[in-house]
């Protein structure tokens, strides 16, 4: 799930860039990744889904920063 969140972050950043290329493909990818993240079976086991989602986003950002260093 962390890899999917990382891919979501990268796709979102690509869409947010000035004059992105192939915005339709990026939007479709973002939608597919969003569905994967939202409906992942893991969320049925977590006591607080909003907190879990926030932690997942933070973990993906942290791992990206570590890999870049």
């Amino acid at each position: 799930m962390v890899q999917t969140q990382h891919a979501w972050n990268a796709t979102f950043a690509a869409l947010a860039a000035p004059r992105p290329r192939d915005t339709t493909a990026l939007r479709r990818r973002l939608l597919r990744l969003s569905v994967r993240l939202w409906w992942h079976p893991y969320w049925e086991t977590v006591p607080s889904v909003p907190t879990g989602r926030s932690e997942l986003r933070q973990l993906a950002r942290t791992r990206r920063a570590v890999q870049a260093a």
Side-chain angles (χ1 to χ4, degrees), residues 7 10 13-14 25 48-49 60 62 64 66:
S48 175
V49 174
T62 303
R64 181 178 178 205
V66 168

Side-chain angles (χ1 to χ4, degrees), residues 40-55:
H40 195 281
Y42 171 74
W43 300 121
E44 295 176 13
T45 65
V46 177
S48 175
V49 174
T51 302
R53 290 186 198 282
S54 178
E55 290 172 356

Side-chain angles (χ1 to χ4, degrees), residues 11 16 18 25-26 32 65:
T11 305
L26 288 171
R32 278 194 310 272

Side-chain angles (χ1 to χ4, degrees), residues 6-21:
H6 176 69
W8 189 97
N9 292 347
T11 305
F12 187 86
L15 268 172
R19 298 182 185 238
R21 293 183 176 219

